[in-house]
Amino acid sequence: MFKGSLFNSFKSSGGSSIPSNVQKDAILEQLIAIIPDADQEYLKYCIGFYHDNHVERISEKIFNINKGHYPKIPEGCKNANSTKAKNNFLLQLNELFPECDVGFLREKLCDLNHSHLQQIIEQLLIMDKSGDKGGYPRRADPFIIEPWELIRSQSYRKAVRYRLYNDFPDTWRSTIKAILAENNFDYKKSFEKLKELATNNWWNSIFSMFRRKLYKEVENSELLDELQNLQVIKLEAQSKADHEIAKQVNFNEYTKNDQLITCGCCYGDYPFEDLTCCSEGHLFCKGCINHLVQEGLFGQGSLRGKQINCIEPTGCDGYFANDQLKSTLIPDLFKNYLDSLIEHSLKQSNLSLIQCPFCNYCEADDDDLLNIFKQLRIPKSSKSFILLASLPVAILPFFTSFESIFSIFAALNVVVILILPQIVWNVMDVYPLKAWIGEFDNIVKRVKRKRRGNVFKCQNPECSKISCLLCSRESRPFHKCYEQEQDSLRLYVEKAMADAVKRTCPKCHISFTKADGCNKMTCRCGYVMCYLCRKDLRQESYAHFCDHFRPMPGQKCKKCNKCDLYKTEDEEKVIKEAATKARNEFLKSHPEARDVNLLENNVIGPVTGEDDNYFRETIEKAVEKVIDYLLP
């Protein structure tokens, strides 16, 4: 990739002597003036390949031979080797190779000093293609990079190291350095690991006799922000623990004073703080309300998109407000309840929606034509006919002269005569062209899909996944819809096609096919069989075959029903039938791919030279262009 086009294209040339460091700096300044956003280390690398005319020859190579491609400095970075630039490269590599281990990418970036992206991409593609050592290392959660996995600056590393020296004065400095290296110099993870080691080491009491002096801590804004976040997390954990203690003390006080209140559902006794009430004041424990909502959402499903009414046995017109439910329900359960309300509201709106397959986030499909149809309340089945009737009108702009327009009206009369009956039949629920109209709908969908694109990015911050609108699966670099199903279908169909024409010896179980010759087949084990009916011919031999004269070779014999000695079955027909049957069987067993024409553009088996679909594909392409012109 880049080695061939950028690296190996720079060859050393004889003649003048190697330039000095001062001359190299001057050459570099000239190159930076020509290419200000280029990686300076890459330019230095290029200078070493030439002995004279460096600026001209390097510019020639970059702009002409390499067609203007060169390693660039990320926007907002001073050089390509800065921590900010390398983290930028790391995020780009994460987008291209979302399954690659972050530590592996980080290590590769730190080992290079120029052309970071190009060199690493080339190495990963070669490793993945050749399968060297099983390819590059993978990770469990693709696309996700935790903050501690980013490349750390030298100032942050130093600040963390001195901070841990003071936090663990009884621990060897070499141990602290090793733990920091193992955890990418992250303070939180290193602190937890050192705390675990400090509690398990028996020599701490001995080493404490030689307690070292405290180090002066290095100020670092990144570390200070991290320490503040850790302090907030610690305070939240302490607050939860205090809350549990306060609840227990409160329960004891209610019990002591005999002031517990009975739940209206399970009839258990609880403090007032553990109860919730409906709009009419009936009290129920939080456990009963959680069980009610959980069963209503995931059990019977009777509460999805509905208001939660009071469950008082004697009857009550009250309900539970959302504020009450928020303080009562488990956070995940309350979120699912809100999602069900949103989903129900969207269904009631009758909008054309595009929904994330991994969560309930959705967006309105920006299709002005569909919105017009809905506002006019035109039936869905009539939309295709309206577009179909508009096709002849769409041809008019392609004619420039009045004579051409008048001449086309004669043809339009014929087209109208053909289309108007179809519209009338459609109103009468008669569909003579129903199959073709279905294909027309698919063409409209393809045109809209080309405009919108197949990639949908979820804006839900808790999801943020990128999905494919065709297969509803997560879209990753080099994504191919139903790739696994396509490979499985191809192998399944190819096996069925091979089985349709091969024969198997019943004695030694060797499979074979006949290339030419007669239909008397002799296996290497000595078994003799007929290629057509598979009968054993070791006793019958050639008497099994018909020997009557026929005026036309290949014509069926009218005197006997014996097998023909040379005529074989139509293998092309058998292969096609086997392929069709295997495809239908596969799609029947994979309902998730039933609506997708798997391998619709791929040919399985021998190519006969005939293209039955050429005319159909040509018509569809022409109709796509016209529909693209008609759609707003």
Side-chain angles (χ1 to χ4, degrees):
M1 206 172 107
F2 229 57
K3 273 188 177 177
S5 60
L6 286 182
F7 301 149
N8 292 344
S9 60
F10 294 99
K11 297 181 179 179
S12 300
S13 59
S16 304
S17 59
I18 299 176
S20 62
N21 293 334
V22 177
Q23 293 174 332
K24 287 183 179 180
D25 293 340
I27 295 170
L28 182 62
E29 290 182 2
Q30 297 180 51
L31 290 172
I32 293 175
I34 299 173
I35 319 173
D37 61 340
D39 183 359
Q40 298 182 13
E41 295 297 328
Y42 170 72
L43 296 178
K44 292 179 182 178
Y45 171 79
C46 298
I47 293 173
F49 280 89
Y50 301 103
H51 295 163
D52 56 4
N53 300 327
H54 300 81
V55 177
E56 294 81 359
R57 301 179 70 176
I58 293 175
S59 301
E60 175 72 16
K61 289 290 184 181
I62 291 177
F63 292 111
N64 292 339
I65 298 179
N66 296 333
K67 298 181 180 180
H69 295 287
Y70 56 89
K72 299 180 180 180
I73 301 175
E75 187 176 355
C77 302
K78 296 182 179 179
N79 60 76
N81 284 316
S82 64
T83 302
K84 183 178 179 181
K86 289 188 175 182
N87 281 327
N88 187 289
F89 294 145
L90 182 61
L91 295 176
Q92 294 184 51
L93 290 171
N94 178 61
E95 292 291 331
L96 294 174
F97 302 93
E99 295 182 348
C100 186
D101 181 66
V102 181
F104 179 79
L105 296 176
R106 187 175 61 242
E107 182 180 354
K108 290 290 183 181
L109 283 170
C110 294
D111 291 340
L112 299 173
N113 63 347
H114 72 86
S115 310
H116 304 80
L117 280 179
Q118 291 77 6
Q119 294 192 61
I120 294 177
I121 291 173
E122 182 180 7
Q123 293 178 21
L124 294 177
L125 290 177
I126 292 175
M127 291 176 65
D128 191 44
K129 184 177 181 180
S130 62
D132 183 23
K133 297 181 181 179
Y136 50 78
R138 314 280 170 156
R139 51 177 154 152
D141 299 324
F143 285 108
I144 298 177
I145 293 184
E146 300 293 341
W148 69 269
E149 294 180 302
L150 296 173
I151 299 174
R152 302 293 191 176
S153 62
Q154 292 295 333
S155 60
Y156 176 84
R157 295 184 180 189
K158 185 177 180 180
V160 170
R161 188 172 70 252
Y162 277 46
R163 175 81 183 190
L164 290 177
Y165 285 166
N166 295 333
D167 290 340
F168 299 92
D170 300 336
T171 305
W172 298 97
R173 286 185 296 178
S174 58
T175 302
I176 295 176
K177 291 180 180 179
I179 295 298
L180 284 171
E182 292 175 5
N183 296 280
N184 191 32
F185 294 87
D186 182 69
Y187 176 79
K188 179 182 178 182
K189 297 178 72 66
S190 301
F191 183 90
E192 293 175 351
K193 186 63 178 179
L194 288 169
K195 186 177 181 180
E196 179 183 349
L197 292 176
T199 56
N200 297 331
N201 292 338
W202 56 269
W203 60 80
N204 283 339
S205 58
I206 300 177
F207 186 72
S208 61
M209 298 173 58
F210 307 97
R211 178 183 292 270
R212 60 171 177 260
K213 63 180 181 179
L214 294 177
Y215 288 84
K216 182 180 180 181
E217 295 184 3
V218 179
E219 293 186 2
N220 182 271
S221 58
E222 186 178 357
L223 177 59
L224 290 176
D225 293 339
E226 187 174 349
L227 291 174
Q228 290 179 359
N229 294 334
L230 292 176
Q231 185 65 21
V232 171
I233 295 174
K234 184 178 179 181
L235 292 176
E236 290 178 353
Q238 184 64 42
S239 176
K240 290 181 179 180
D242 295 342
H243 180 69
E244 294 297 326
I245 296 174
K247 285 177 60 177
Q248 185 63 39
V249 172
N250 186 52
F251 181 80
N252 294 336
E253 288 292 330
Y254 269 88
T255 304
K256 181 179 178 181
N257 297 322
D258 195 19
Q259 294 180 348
L260 293 174
I261 305 173
T262 303
C263 170
C265 179
C266 65
Y267 301 105
D269 295 330
Y270 301 91
F272 178 78
E273 288 75 15
D274 291 342
L275 297 172
T276 186
C277 64
C278 70
S279 58
E280 298 297 328
H282 296 111
L283 295 173
F284 304 93
C285 69
K286 295 182 178 180
C288 289
I289 302 300
N290 276 275
H291 288 307
L292 170 69
V293 177
Q294 186 172 6
E295 178 65 23
L297 293 180
F298 306 108
Q300 299 176 356
S302 57
L303 293 180
R304 297 196 66 85
K306 298 181 180 179
Q307 180 179 263
I308 300 177
N309 297 322
C310 180
I311 55 177
E312 175 66 26
T314 58
C316 177
D317 296 331
Y319 63 92
F320 294 97
N322 288 341
D323 293 339
Q324 287 283 78
L325 293 174
K326 184 177 181 180
S327 60
T328 302
L329 299 178
I330 302 171
D332 291 340
L333 188 60
F334 181 69
K335 179 180 178 300
N336 288 322
Y337 172 68
L338 291 181
D339 290 342
S340 70
L341 294 178
I342 296 172
E343 183 180 356
H344 179 73
S345 300
L346 291 173
K347 288 181 179 179
Q348 294 295 325
S349 65
N350 293 324
L351 291 174
S352 179
L353 301 174
I354 304 175
Q355 184 171 354
C356 174
F358 306 103
C359 68
N360 290 327
Y361 175 82
C362 57
E363 296 178 0
D365 190 358
D366 189 13
D367 193 338
D368 296 333
L369 186 63
L370 289 178
N371 294 332
I372 292 174
F373 281 139
K374 289 175 180 177
Q375 292 173 5
L376 297 178
R377 296 183 179 179
I378 298 177
K380 183 179 180 181
S381 57
S382 303
K383 301 172 189 176
S384 298
F385 287 99
I386 293 175
L387 280 176
L388 183 62
S390 304
L391 288 179
V393 182
I395 306 175
L396 293 178
F398 296 100
F399 297 90
T400 55
S401 62
F402 287 102
E403 293 80 3
S404 301
I405 295 177
F406 286 125
S407 62
I408 199 63
F409 271 117
L412 286 179
N413 291 330
V414 179
V415 175
V416 169
I417 292 174
L418 295 175
I419 292 177
L420 285 179
Q422 305 298 329
I423 300 177
V424 175
W425 289 334
N426 176 62
V427 175
M428 299 173 61
D429 292 334
V430 179
Y431 302 97
L433 296 179
K434 185 176 181 180
W436 200 92
I437 295 302
E439 292 296 327
F440 187 80
D441 286 336
N442 292 333
I443 295 175
V444 175
K445 291 178 181 179
R446 285 203 299 269
V447 172
K448 292 190 293 185
R449 190 166 59 236
K450 287 180 180 179
R451 291 184 177 186
R452 183 181 55 229
N454 297 331
V455 177
F456 179 75
K457 187 172 183 181
C458 180
Q459 301 299 324
N460 182 3
E462 298 180 0
C463 178
S464 301
K465 290 186 177 181
I466 302 175
S467 57
C468 177
L469 294 177
L470 298 181
C471 60
S472 298
R473 296 180 179 176
E474 190 171 2
S475 179
R476 300 177 181 177
F478 316 110
H479 172 76
K480 184 179 180 182
C481 294
Y482 294 97
E483 184 174 10
Q484 296 179 356
E485 286 81 356
Q486 286 185 357
D487 291 339
S488 300
L489 173 62
R490 177 179 58 81
L491 294 174
Y492 186 80
V493 173
E494 288 178 351
K495 181 180 183 301
M497 294 165 62
D499 293 341
V501 296
K502 76 177 182 179
R503 305 290 188 265
T504 303
C505 174
K507 185 177 180 180
C508 64
H509 304 288
I510 291 180
S511 299
F512 60 90
T513 57
K514 190 187 80 167
D516 54 15
C518 67
N519 289 327
K520 179 185 176 183
M521 310 299 296
T522 303
C523 182
R524 63 183 183 182
C525 69
Y527 186 82
V528 184
M529 65 180 289
C530 174
Y531 187 78
L532 296 179
C533 66
R534 285 83 163 172
K535 185 180 178 182
D536 183 2
L537 302 182
R538 285 178 292 183
Q539 298 295 331
E540 194 175 3
S541 188
Y542 284 103
H544 172 76
F545 300 97
C546 174
D547 58 355
H548 295 104
F549 173 78
R550 277 162 285 180
M552 297 182 62
Q555 190 179 28
K556 186 177 181 179
C557 181
K558 298 181 180 180
K559 298 180 181 180
C560 68
N561 294 323
K562 292 183 178 181
C563 296
D564 195 301
L565 181 60
Y566 288 99
K567 183 181 179 181
T568 59
E569 59 186 354
D570 189 355
E571 291 189 354
E572 183 178 339
K573 180 180 178 182
V574 172
I575 289 174
K576 286 185 177 181
E577 291 177 353
T580 303
K581 182 180 178 181
R583 184 189 298 269
N584 294 334
E585 290 177 353
F586 182 88
L587 294 179
K588 184 177 180 180
S589 61
H590 293 77
E592 73 279 0
R594 193 173 298 169
D595 297 332
V596 180
N597 294 324
L598 294 178
L599 300 178
E600 57 183 355
N601 297 323
N602 296 343
V603 178
I604 301 179
V607 180
T608 60
E610 297 179 342
D611 193 359
D612 299 335
N613 296 325
Y614 177 75
F615 179 75
R616 181 185 181 88
E617 293 176 356
T618 304
I619 295 297
E620 286 187 357
K621 290 181 180 178
V623 174
E624 281 187 16
K625 292 182 179 180
V626 176
I627 292 175
D628 189 28
Y629 171 78
L630 288 175
L631 290 176

